[in-house]
Amino acid sequence: MRLLVLGGTRFLGRAIVDEAIRRGYDVTTFSRGLSGEPRPGAEALHGDRTNSADLLRLAERDFDLVIDTSVIAPRHVAASARLLAPRIRHYTYVSTLSVYDGFGEVPVSEESPVLDGPPDADGSVEELGYGELKAGSEQAVAQELPGRHLIARPGFILGPHENIGRLPWWLTRIARGGTVLAPGDPGQQIRATDARDLAAWLVDNTRRGIPGVVNVPGAEGTTLGELLTDCGDVTGPGPDGPLQLRWVPDQVLLAAGVEPWSELPLWAPGIPELAAVWDVTGDRALRTGLRYRPLSDTVRDTWTWLRRDAAARGGPGTFERRPGIGLDPDKEQEILASLDPQADG
Ligand SMILES: NC(=O)c1ccc[n+]([C@@H]2O[C@H](COP(=O)([O-])OP(=O)(O)OC[C@H]3O[C@@H](n4cnc5c(N)ncnc54)[C@H](OP(=O)(O)O)[C@@H]3O)[C@@H](O)[C@H]2O)c1
């Protein structure tokens, strides 16, 4: 089986490449070479998808399957899909739950309306909007390969090599130990998908050629409290002493200007914009074979990766954290200091 991964060198794409190689596929990646090289065993083609001359390199090749993890303008996704359509059997595009109109505010299923993103739109994420860019890209793939495309819409993706830095930030903070600001309610339900589970499902269903749209919102039944406790269990006591999670009410954090979702990753306080953020239908993913591992395994393996990365570089972990992810230590201390010491943490 010849699989082309458009991308494949950073996080989810890397897990896809690993999974496909493990299954004995011939794997080729296409990337600019800026985010690193593909895994051993994969063939690397280099080029920029936004450059039509570079893209033409793919016209010299035949593949059976394509998985596209890109976050580029719909018109470039359309160009790749058009070029590859006569040369492949099935094209899978990794999209996002953010394509739903009102995602976060209202419950969504695969039938819910999506944002208006034209398939020929050009521009950056900042110009088009993330949800619109992904919605337009979905349309572009659907137009070029009708009936031969799968659109996966994941929610939170976590796991080793995570480049956004959500779980890495929590692990790194909790590893310092001492009193750690924990947001909202320890019983808050959260959902996330390990990149390796998503990768296995993507490879399987691309090979099977299942068409249509599938949400991958993560398993139900885990809480934020469990996640943070799991983090403490794997990191052990830190230089600032044994871990003590100090649960701070949503209202206190909102009043202090803490940004939900990003500044304290996975924190979704009870505000209208996030009231239904975990309320996503995920049955289709389960029916088509998605198997979610326990989040505690994801936490353990992400910590192992962070420590290995730190050891390899002879210093602190160097995961790339996007701007805005994680709470500034001074701000955390200010908020903790403002709390009533008698109140329950
Ligand atoms: N993280 C989450 O929680 C989350 C949630 C929902 C959905 N998603 C979706 O999941 C996917 C995550 O993908 P990933 O970043 O982990 O995938 P990845 O395939 O590991 O990394 C992205 C790849 O795209 C390549 N690339 C970027 N710009 C390119 C260009 N102009 N031409 C050619 N190659 C280019 C990068 O390599 P070079 O830089 O070397 O070119 C890199 O290999 C995205 O589609 C995202 O929207 C993520």
Side-chain angles (χ1 to χ4, degrees):
M1 198 64 74
R2 294 161 303 176
L3 170 68
L4 170 66
V5 181
L6 292 170
T9 57
R10 212 159 49 189
F11 172 41
L12 176 63
R14 181 189 173 109
I16 293 167
V17 169
D18 279 355
E19 180 65 27
I21 288 176
R22 203 175 62 77
R23 292 175 190 214
Y25 289 22
D26 289 332
V27 182
T28 302
T29 61
F30 186 79
S31 70
R32 295 165 303 180
L34 302 179
S35 307
E37 290 303 313
R39 311 288 286 149
E43 176 197 23
L45 297 180
H46 287 132
D48 188 332
R49 289 178 65 186
T50 64
N51 176 319
S52 49
D54 283 4
L55 196 59
L56 273 177
R57 278 183 211 146
L58 294 174
E60 298 154 13
R61 303 289 300 270
D62 285 315
F63 302 98
D64 299 301
L65 312 170
V66 173
I67 301 180
D68 182 351
T69 57
S70 69
V71 185
I72 54 174
R75 70 178 284 253
H76 302 303
V77 175
S80 313
R82 194 173 309 130
L83 184 91
L84 290 163
R87 298 178 170 77
I88 62 162
R89 203 154 52 70
H90 209 74
Y91 192 113
T92 293
Y93 179 70
V94 179
S95 188
T96 166
L97 293 176
S98 300
V99 296
Y100 289 112
D101 196 3
F103 173 61
E105 293 170 31
V106 291
V108 294
S109 75
E110 283 90 348
E111 279 67 46
S112 300
V114 297
L115 294 166
D116 186 23
D120 56 355
D122 197 4
S124 62
V125 176
E126 292 73 26
E127 287 160 345
L128 298 175
Y130 177 58
E132 287 83 355
L133 177 147
K134 298 292 274 186
S137 300
E138 288 188 1
Q139 276 198 51
V141 172
Q143 275 183 10
E144 301 299 336
L145 293 106
R148 292 192 290 137
H149 69 281
L150 167 64
I151 305 288
R153 293 179 180 156
F156 268 123
I157 307 173
L158 302 178
H161 304 280
E162 188 209 317
N163 62 314
I164 294 182
R166 292 164 171 143
L167 183 52
W169 181 79
W170 273 119
L171 281 162
T172 309
R173 170 62 194 97
I174 284 175
R176 290 210 312 274
T179 303
V180 173
L181 190 160
D185 171 8
Q188 182 200 307
Q189 296 289 319
I190 56 165
R191 300 175 80 173
T193 303
D194 190 299
R196 296 164 296 178
D197 297 336
L198 178 55
W201 179 88
L202 285 165
V203 171
D204 252 347
N205 287 296
T206 307
R207 178 185 52 78
R208 288 168 59 208
I210 71 158
V213 175
V214 183
N215 291 337
V216 187
E220 291 177 287
T222 309
T223 64
L224 186 57
E226 285 165 346
L227 175 76
L228 300 191
T229 304
D230 286 344
C231 288
D233 289 346
V234 296
T235 60
D240 293 349
L243 173 67
Q244 197 205 338
L245 294 171
R246 182 77 203 264
W247 291 93
V248 181
D250 290 346
Q251 290 316 318
V252 173
L253 297 174
L254 292 169
V258 178
E259 200 56 50
W261 210 240
S262 52
E263 221 175 339
L264 285 168
L266 287 113
W267 171 50
I271 54 175
E273 301 91 288
L274 294 170
V277 80
W278 307 114
D279 201 346
V280 178
T281 305
D283 310 356
R284 205 172 280 175
L286 295 173
R287 281 202 307 275
T288 49
L290 197 88
R291 296 292 170 263
Y292 296 107
R293 75 191 66 200
L295 203 48
S296 53
D297 290 4
T298 307
V299 168
R300 181 198 60 216
D301 295 347
T302 305
W303 180 237
T304 303
W305 159 64
L306 282 173
R307 275 192 312 175
R308 232 185 258 140
D309 182 62
R313 291 168 197 264
T318 53
F319 65 93
E320 298 168 42
R321 176 151 59 89
R322 292 214 181 140
I325 299 292
L327 190 62
D328 177 76
D330 292 340
K331 192 166 171 182
E332 181 187 12
Q333 289 314 314
E334 257 172 55
I335 296 170
L336 289 174
S338 73
L339 300 173
D340 175 356
Q342 303 305 319
D344 275 342

